[in-house]
């Protein structure tokens, strides 16, 4: 039986039928997304609901220009994953890709710390060409996703460049330089969303948030991925003012991340490195929060912050894991939507 056929699943906690919830929505579920962790979750989400009813708002603070090419890592990992083209073993890039171009660049004496596959280059070449022709990143992303056969809509958070910078004891670096070139092990002193105050939300983004039936925050780095999206003028306010339930999934399990430097960033900004610290960072944006079973003891503390908490497996090793987490998230969103009595969250 396919994952889609198995969608009629009941939550053990609330006994809520996810199928009915999706049928009720008939509108749009919005997901705020970073890179690899978000892509895994979204892979399950498009199996647990009609993919055409999903809009993904993608972080572009990780975007970088290398060799004259505009690279959008978070948009691309989500697009490659939803189109079935991602290299599952590496967790990034295109399956069966080669790196002859990068090898030749190295022979010319160029730094090759950022992996660019030969087929992957086609995406960056076309995106860069269209930007130089005057097209916005929103329109370009829509065109590329349509060519890849992706039913869901992927929106960049804005069309303007808003590079995320990381200050460490060694200096100030673009996030990709900090993470990929330098290994992401240095202490984080400050995160800067450069020029974000001059950015404008992508066309239609604020309207989509206003009309959303549920807003899901993927298990992405809360500071360098989701935080960048929320820093775009008007976006945080739109999420706060939306009548939709807002549910996030913690990327932190037992005080550590499965991938990426979220732990160092939380610590550097003065937050506890835990699921509790992540929930505290989001604060009153949230109606619901999902934590891993290994962090079940944190549930009462997080609930004291004023949000419902669901405890489940959040480690996505298989497609079944991804679909199960997506269903749990949708179920919690529906519970938060219906719970109009006794919940101390931001909408009561």
């Amino acid at each position: 039986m396919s994952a889609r056929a198995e969608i009629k699943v009941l939550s053990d906690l609330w006994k809520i039928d996810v199928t009915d919830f999706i049928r009720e929505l008939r509108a749009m579920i919005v997901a705020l997304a970073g890179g690899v962790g978000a892509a895994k979750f979204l892979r399950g989400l498009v199996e647990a609901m009609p993919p055409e009813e999903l809009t993904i708002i993608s972080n572009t603070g990780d975007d970088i220009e290398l060799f004259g090419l505009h690279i959008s890592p978070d948009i691309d990992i989500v697009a490659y994953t939803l189109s079935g083209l991602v290299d599952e073993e590496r967790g990034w890039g295109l399956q069966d890709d080669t790196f002859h171009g990068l090898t030749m660049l190295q022979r010319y004496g160029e730094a090759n710390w950022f992996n660019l596959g030969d087929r992957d280059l086609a995406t960056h070449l076309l995106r860069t060409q269209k930007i130089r022709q005057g097209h916005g990143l929103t329109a370009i992303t829509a065109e590329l996703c349509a060519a890849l056969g992706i039913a869901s809509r992927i929106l960049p958070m804005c069309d303007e460049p808003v590079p995320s910078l990381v200050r460490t004891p060694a200096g100030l670096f673009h996030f990709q330089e900090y993470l990929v070139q330098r290994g992401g092990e240095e202490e984080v002193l400050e995160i800067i969303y450069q020029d974000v105050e001059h950015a404008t939300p992508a066309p239609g983004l604020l309207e989509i948030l206003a009309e959303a039936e549920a807003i899901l925050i993927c298990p992405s780095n809360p500071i360098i991925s989701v935080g960048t999206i929320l820093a775009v003028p008007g976006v945080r306010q739109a999420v706060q003012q939306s009548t939709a339930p807002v549910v996030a999934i913690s990327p932190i399990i037992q005080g550590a991340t499965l991938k990426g430097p979220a732990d160092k960033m939380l610590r550097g900004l003065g937050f506890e490195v835990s699921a509790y610290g992540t929930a505290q960072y989001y604060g009153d944006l949230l109606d619901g929060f999902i934590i891993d079973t290994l962090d079940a003891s944190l549930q009462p503390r997080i609930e004291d912050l004023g949000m419902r908490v669901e405890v489940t497996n959040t480690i996505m090793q298989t497609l079944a894991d991804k679909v199960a987490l997506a269903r749990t998230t949708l179920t919690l969103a529906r519970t938060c939507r219906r719970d109009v009595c006794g919940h101390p969250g931001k909408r009561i």
Side-chain angles (χ1 to χ4, degrees):
M1 182 180 294
S2 70
R4 180 67 55 76
E6 294 174 341
I7 190 173
K8 192 176 176 63
V9 172
L10 300 179
S11 162
D12 289 337
L13 182 58
W14 296 298
K15 304 300 181 186
I16 294 173
D17 191 334
V18 177
T19 308
D20 289 342
F21 180 37
I22 296 300
R23 188 179 299 116
E24 272 184 79
L25 298 186
R26 290 177 299 187
M28 197 62 68
I29 288 180
V30 177
L32 308 188
V36 175
K40 288 183 176 181
F41 172 73
L42 293 167
R43 176 67 184 89
L45 190 58
V46 297
E47 293 291 339
M49 62 168 285
E52 65 275 8
E53 295 178 6
L54 172 65
T55 292
I56 300 155
I57 299 175
S58 183
N59 166 49
T60 58
D62 292 8
D63 286 19
I64 190 169
E65 183 172 305
L66 293 171
F67 309 114
L69 300 177
H70 184 110
I71 301 165
S72 297
D74 285 0
I75 289 176
D76 292 343
I77 183 62
V78 170
Y80 292 163
T81 298
L82 296 186
S83 61
L85 297 175
V86 74
D87 187 318
E88 296 278 2
E89 187 173 338
R90 287 195 184 99
W92 52 268
L94 292 161
Q95 57 188 331
D96 302 322
D97 211 347
T98 55
F99 296 87
H100 301 305
L102 202 62
T103 301
M104 195 65 185
L105 284 167
Q106 184 179 21
R107 184 168 180 175
Y108 285 131
E110 295 295 320
N112 66 342
W113 55 269
F114 195 92
N115 285 312
L116 296 170
D118 298 327
R119 294 171 61 215
D120 186 33
L121 281 169
T123 303
H124 312 315
L125 285 166
L126 186 57
R127 177 187 293 120
T128 304
Q129 176 183 318
K130 290 185 175 295
I131 287 175
R132 290 175 180 166
Q133 290 172 345
H135 300 285
L137 188 59
T138 300
I140 295 167
T141 301
E143 185 176 336
L144 295 176
C145 289
L148 293 177
I150 298 170
S152 302
R153 182 179 186 185
I154 301 178
L155 277 180
M157 64 189 197
C158 59
D159 282 349
E160 301 88 351
V162 180
S164 295
L165 306 180
V166 182
R167 190 180 302 281
T168 76
L172 187 65
F173 304 97
H174 188 284
F175 173 68
Q176 297 297 345
E177 294 172 329
Y178 166 78
L179 179 65
V180 183
Q181 186 177 33
R182 301 177 66 86
E185 294 299 324
E186 296 164 283
E187 178 187 4
V188 174
L189 303 177
E190 184 183 12
I191 301 295
I192 298 171
Y193 309 129
Q194 190 175 43
D195 296 327
V196 71
E197 66 274 11
H198 303 303
T200 302
L205 188 152
L206 297 182
E207 291 79 5
I208 286 169
L209 287 171
E211 297 169 3
E213 294 291 339
I215 300 172
L216 312 180
I217 299 179
C218 297
S220 300
N221 187 316
I223 297 169
I224 207 74
S225 295
V226 180
T228 316
I229 299 171
L230 295 172
V232 175
V235 173
R236 175 179 286 273
Q237 293 84 349
V239 174
Q240 287 176 320
Q241 293 170 8
S242 172
T243 58
V246 181
V247 174
I249 305 152
S250 176
I252 304 289
I253 301 174
Q254 290 196 313
T257 56
L258 297 177
K259 185 177 179 64
D263 50 352
K264 296 176 182 61
M265 293 183 174
L266 284 168
R267 185 180 297 111
L269 296 187
F271 289 91
E272 178 179 303
V273 182
S274 66
Y276 175 84
T278 303
Q280 190 178 41
Y281 174 81
Y282 288 130
D284 65 1
L285 279 182
L286 301 185
D287 297 297
F289 194 59
I290 294 177
I291 64 175
D292 193 79
T293 52
L294 296 172
D295 286 327
S297 62
L298 296 175
Q299 182 174 1
R301 287 183 66 202
I302 299 172
E303 288 177 336
D304 286 343
L305 294 173
M307 59 191 73
R308 280 192 169 272
V309 178
E310 168 73 326
V311 180
T312 190
N313 172 50
T314 64
I315 301 174
M316 297 173 284
Q317 296 179 322
T318 67
L319 178 57
D321 293 335
K322 299 166 189 175
V323 175
L325 181 57
R327 290 170 173 163
T328 299
T329 307
L330 291 170
T331 297
L332 181 56
R334 187 191 191 193
T335 300
C336 291
R337 180 184 177 195
R338 286 192 169 180
D339 184 21
V340 295
C341 298
H343 173 38
K346 65 185 176 69
R347 307 191 200 289
I348 306 305

